[in-house]
Amino acid sequence: MTTATAKVAARPPRAAAAQPGGRRRGLLRWLPLAPATVLLLLFLGGPIAYCVYIAFTNMQLTGSSSTDFVGLANFRRAFADPGFRNAVVLTLVFTVISSLLGQNTLGLALAGLMPRASQPVRTLTGSVVIAAWVLPEIVAGFLLYAFFRREGTLNAILDLLHLPSQNWLFTLPILAVSFANVWRGTAFSMLVYSAALSEIPKEITEAAEVDGARGRQRLWHITLPMIRRSIGTNLMLNTLQTLSVFGLIWAMTRGGPGNRSQTLPVFMYDQAFLKSLIGYGTAVALLLLLVGALFSAVYLRLMKAEV
């Protein structure tokens, strides 16, 4: 066999002959997804694209008959607005207290302690925590408003104990709404960590006990490293949910008194719908989306570095 003949024999079949069939199979494979793709583009992609467009205009609900393209003016206005900067700070405080520290820590503690408790205690605690989670946000907001208000449940308990009471929604509004979010959202963290802890082999913890490791040492050197991916996932989901909390704060304080509990979702609602500045409010919403994306990128980077 000559060299030329060998090259012809070794040459793969012509790609052109295989392409039509391959393309046909690819189209058939994607065909069942076509209706869902069209619906996503129509009802999700379309509104998102329109919101991005609105953020670069001076659109208003009332008082203006025309809408003009203003470029980055809304974003420059946001960074120069003291109210926006105050909302960013309060959003970070609210997120750190209620999500990173509150829900995450309390959920892990409940998940670790529940298996050691008696059956009645587990049933009662689980029922209370899950009930707070499944309540609609607006209902939970009114319940916590009744708990923290000047004539509310908390002050009644403090009066019975002869301890000083105060108007918590006026003196410490951001802490009050943070506690409310912890009370409502801890169940999710508890369920995530309960599932993660159940996957830890008992042989490992038993071997650590035999070696003399105490509870704190087992937690720090065994439990937390083995569930670190669950911790990262829980922190990311909790952070994104906390950044978007609106109904709970609106029902309890409406962002007040003044703007002392006005997080970014409340500030955005105030600007877009109460002051009719749709363009400016939408720009604030995009900045809030950017904050959530930054948190997600950090968590994903940390989780990827651990693999």
Side-chain angles (χ1 to χ4, degrees), residues 40-68:
L40 284 175
L41 292 175
L42 184 63
F43 295 105
L44 185 62
I48 290 176
Y50 185 59
C51 287
V52 173
Y53 163 74
I54 291 175
F56 293 91
T57 67
N58 61 353
M59 181 181 290
Q60 299 183 30
L61 286 179
T62 58
S64 179
S65 58
S66 62
T67 299
D68 300 318

Side-chain angles (χ1 to χ4, degrees), residues 18-34 37:
Q19 281 182 356
R23 288 177 179 176
R24 215 175 293 118
R25 285 194 297 271
L27 291 175
L28 291 176
R29 191 179 298 115
W30 283 101
L31 188 61
L33 299 177
T37 304

Side-chain angles (χ1 to χ4, degrees), residues 238-293:
N238 267 337
T239 300
L240 296 178
Q241 186 275 330
T242 302
L243 286 173
S244 64
V245 169
F246 170 78
L248 190 71
I249 300 175
W250 188 257
M252 293 181 64
T253 65
R254 290 181 177 257
N259 59 359
R260 291 166 55 197
S261 61
Q262 191 178 62
T263 58
L264 277 174
V266 180
F267 179 79
M268 175 192 64
Y269 179 84
D270 176 69
Q271 298 296 319
F273 298 105
L274 299 185
K275 297 180 179 176
S276 301
L277 302 175
I278 288 292
Y280 181 46
T282 306
V284 173
L286 291 183
L287 292 174
L288 177 60
L289 183 64
L290 179 61
V291 172

Side-chain angles (χ1 to χ4, degrees), residues 175-189:
L175 293 181
V177 296
S178 297
F179 177 85
N181 194 51
V182 171
W183 175 78
R184 183 174 183 270
T186 297
F188 179 80
S189 296

Side-chain angles (χ1 to χ4, degrees), residues 134-290:
V134 299
L135 279 177
E137 191 177 45
I138 192 69
V139 176
F142 277 116
L143 287 176
L144 271 298
Y145 170 77
F147 181 78
F148 282 112
R149 66 193 297 262
R150 184 67 185 88
E151 299 82 12
T153 308
L154 178 58
N155 282 333
I157 296 173
L158 293 176
D159 291 338
L160 288 176
L161 298 175
H162 302 288
L163 295 174
S165 60
Q166 57 182 308
N167 188 350
W168 301 96
L169 296 176
F170 181 81
T171 57
L172 297 170
I174 193 64
L175 293 181
V177 296
S178 297
F179 177 85
N181 194 51
V182 171
W183 175 78
R184 183 174 183 270
T186 297
F188 179 80
S189 296
M190 184 186 73
L191 295 176
V192 170
Y193 289 137
S194 295
L197 292 174
S198 65
E199 296 297 325
I200 298 178
K202 293 183 179 180
E203 295 80 5
I204 296 179
T205 56
E206 292 173 355
E209 291 179 1
V210 172
D211 291 338
R214 298 180 179 179
R216 184 180 302 177
Q217 294 172 327
R218 293 198 303 271
L219 174 66
W220 187 256
H221 296 288
I222 297 177
T223 303
L224 293 181
M226 296 194 69
I227 65 170
R228 60 186 181 275
R229 295 191 62 80
S230 296
I231 294 175
T233 302
N234 181 67
L235 283 173
M236 181 175 65
L237 296 177
N238 267 337
T239 300
L240 296 178
Q241 186 275 330
T242 302
L243 286 173
S244 64
V245 169
F246 170 78
L248 190 71
I249 300 175
W250 188 257
M252 293 181 64
T253 65
R254 290 181 177 257
N259 59 359
R260 291 166 55 197
S261 61
Q262 191 178 62
T263 58
L264 277 174
V266 180
F267 179 79
M268 175 192 64
Y269 179 84
D270 176 69
Q271 298 296 319
F273 298 105
L274 299 185
K275 297 180 179 176
S276 301
L277 302 175
I278 288 292
Y280 181 46
T282 306
V284 173
L286 291 183
L287 292 174
L288 177 60
L289 183 64
L290 179 61

